[in-house]
């Protein structure tokens, strides 16, 4: 019954929001729940800069207005914070506010009104690869890569302490969520710093990035069987060839994208989930029926937040 209900909800999302399947990079944020407010939550915000001063971030934090439970609130750190904020509405926050353990939600965005900052995220969300500076180029568009470790340090030293100052937090219920390239960052952090968070959540991670670089990191990762992992994929694009690039994309970049995606099997995420589960790690892998790569961003958020709040059935 739960799978049937999930399919109905997600099919409705696919019908009502087809434009989100491949969001234009020029799309603007507009008015969000951070501006209009939501029952049971208040919003705070602060800004930080990257260590090299090249990238600037705006962090909006949704904080429950009720008293914290004795162990503190769980907390979710969401990448692509502008895009994530556009998918979270007052109804979802009101439901979370009534949960047994409502989460604090930190939306880590770039300090602009763009939904997606393509160049900045291509750098921040990808790890450095062997081969020197010449190897730190994206297969799609030639964007700079390799800043993931510096970005993780920024989260740990500049962002998390300021979030912790806003509310009492449960140090054993810390989640990191990312979509696509954000999923690359989430899994890289899992494989290289498994104790940094307690729950790692990746929506349709781009495992093809770097010719399957994350598969190499997975094979050498330290053991951490008490860390939970949530993985989601959509099934509306069953092959790399079926994924249509955004309108206006350079044909050479399109070809590079398709070649990069051929570097891993179409079911690479499902295979990774099976391997991690076999190693003893608690992993939940979910196929989101009828949804494209882009649509898994919004669909995965309530599933994560309800899981973190202690009411996973509501998210389903």
């Amino acid at each position: 019954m739960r799978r049937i209900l999930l399919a109905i909800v997600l099919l409705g999302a696919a019908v009502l929001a087809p434009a989100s399947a491949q969001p234009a990079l020029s799309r603007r944020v507009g008015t969000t729940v951070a501006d209009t407010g939501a029952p049971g939550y208040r919003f705070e915000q602060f800004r930080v800069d990257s260590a090299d001063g090249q990238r600037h971030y705006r962090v909006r934090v949704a904080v429950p207005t009720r008293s914290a439970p004795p162990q503190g609130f769980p907390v979710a750190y969401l990448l692509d914070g502008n895009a994530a904020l556009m998918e979270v509405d007052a109804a979802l926050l009101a439901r979370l506010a009534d949960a047994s353990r409502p989460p604090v939600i930190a939306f880590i965005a770039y300090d602009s009104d763009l939904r997606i900052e393509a160049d900045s995220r291509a750098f921040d969300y990808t790890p450095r690869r062997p081969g020197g500076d010449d190897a730190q180029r994206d297969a799609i568009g030639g964007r700079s890569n390799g800043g993931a470790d510096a970005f993780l340090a920024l989260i740990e030293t500049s962002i998390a302490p300021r979030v912790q100052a806003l509310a009492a937090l449960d140090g054993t219920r810390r989640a990191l969520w990312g979509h696509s390239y954000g999923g690359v960052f989430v899994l890289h952090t899992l494989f290289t710093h498994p104790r940094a968070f307690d729950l790692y959540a990746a929506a349709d991670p781009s495992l093809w990035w770097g010719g399957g670089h994350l598969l190499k990191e997975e094979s050498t990762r330290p053991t951490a069987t008490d860390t939970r992992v949530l993985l989601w994929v959509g099934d509306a694009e069953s092959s790399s060839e079926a994924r249509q690039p955004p309108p206006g994309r350079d044909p050479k970049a399109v070809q590079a994208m398709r070649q990069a995606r051929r570097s891993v099997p179409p079911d690479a995420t499902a295979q990774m989930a099976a391997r991690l589960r076999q190693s003893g790690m608690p992993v939940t892998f979910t196929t989101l029926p009828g949804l494209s790569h882009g649509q898994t961003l919004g669909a995965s958020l309530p599933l994560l937040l309800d899981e973190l709040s202690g009411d996973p059935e509501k998210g389903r």
Side-chain angles (χ1 to χ4, degrees):
M1 179 60 71
R2 289 187 306 180
R3 291 183 178 179
I4 294 174
L5 291 175
L6 177 61
I8 292 172
V9 171
L10 294 176
L11 180 59
V15 171
L16 292 174
S20 65
Q22 289 287 355
L25 297 182
S26 61
R27 188 176 173 192
R28 305 290 170 170
V29 178
T31 302
T32 70
V33 69
D35 305 302
T36 59
Y41 272 88
R42 76 177 197 272
F43 273 87
E44 307 283 350
Q45 75 171 23
F46 58 87
R47 289 173 169 83
V48 296
D49 299 324
S50 62
D52 61 7
Q54 298 302 303
R55 289 162 306 285
H56 312 284
Y57 311 88
R58 178 176 56 205
V59 183
R60 288 188 171 111
V61 187
V63 182
T65 56
R66 63 192 269 189
S67 298
Q71 68 272 36
F73 294 116
V75 59
Y77 294 92
L78 310 183
L79 306 183
D80 284 322
N82 282 343
L85 194 54
M86 293 171 70
E87 301 290 344
V88 172
D89 60 17
L92 173 58
L93 289 181
R95 187 177 79 229
L96 292 171
D98 289 335
S100 55
R101 288 177 290 184
V104 170
I105 310 168
F107 299 84
I108 305 174
Y110 295 99
D111 193 11
S112 79
D113 64 349
L114 287 174
R115 181 181 186 272
I116 294 290
E117 283 272 8
D119 290 349
S120 296
R121 75 194 295 268
F123 182 76
D124 281 338
Y125 296 172
T126 57
R128 189 171 178 85
R129 288 173 286 170
D133 291 342
D134 290 342
Q136 315 311 318
R137 288 290 170 183
D138 205 77
I140 304 172
R143 299 184 178 102
S144 296
N145 289 167
D149 290 335
F151 185 58
L152 176 60
L154 182 80
I155 293 175
E156 292 183 313
T157 62
S158 298
I159 294 178
R162 296 188 66 171
V163 174
Q164 292 164 10
L166 296 174
L169 301 182
D170 184 347
T172 68
R173 294 181 66 82
R174 302 172 70 245
L176 176 67
W177 170 94
H179 169 262
S180 191
Y181 271 36
V184 171
F185 179 83
V186 168
L187 292 173
H188 169 70
T189 304
L190 169 67
F191 297 148
T192 59
H193 298 82
R195 304 296 181 186
F197 298 89
D198 308 289
L199 175 60
Y200 291 83
D204 217 351
S206 299
L207 297 185
W208 50 266
W209 175 84
H213 179 81
L214 284 175
L215 304 186
K216 301 172 186 176
E217 290 194 341
E218 178 199 353
S219 67
T220 59
R221 67 181 177 85
T223 301
T225 57
D226 58 342
T227 300
R228 291 191 298 146
V229 180
L230 302 179
L231 294 171
W232 302 275
V233 297
D235 68 357
E237 297 161 332
S238 58
S239 71
S240 59
E241 295 295 331
R243 293 189 176 188
Q244 296 301 313
R249 178 66 61 86
D250 177 25
K252 291 183 179 179
V254 172
Q255 184 58 33
M257 178 192 301
R258 288 174 173 166
Q259 183 176 351
R261 282 174 171 153
R262 294 190 196 105
S263 66
V264 297
D267 63 343
T269 305
Q271 289 188 27
M272 176 180 284
R275 290 191 300 269
L276 295 177
R277 194 180 297 117
Q278 188 174 20
S279 73
M281 185 175 290
V283 178
T284 301
F285 173 79
T286 305
T287 298
L288 303 176
L291 297 194
S292 67
H293 172 70
Q295 290 169 328
T296 60
L297 187 157
S300 64
L301 282 171
L303 302 177
L304 162 71
L305 296 173
D306 281 306
E307 176 76 25
L308 193 61
S309 73
D311 294 321
E313 293 303 313
K314 289 185 178 179
R316 293 183 180 277

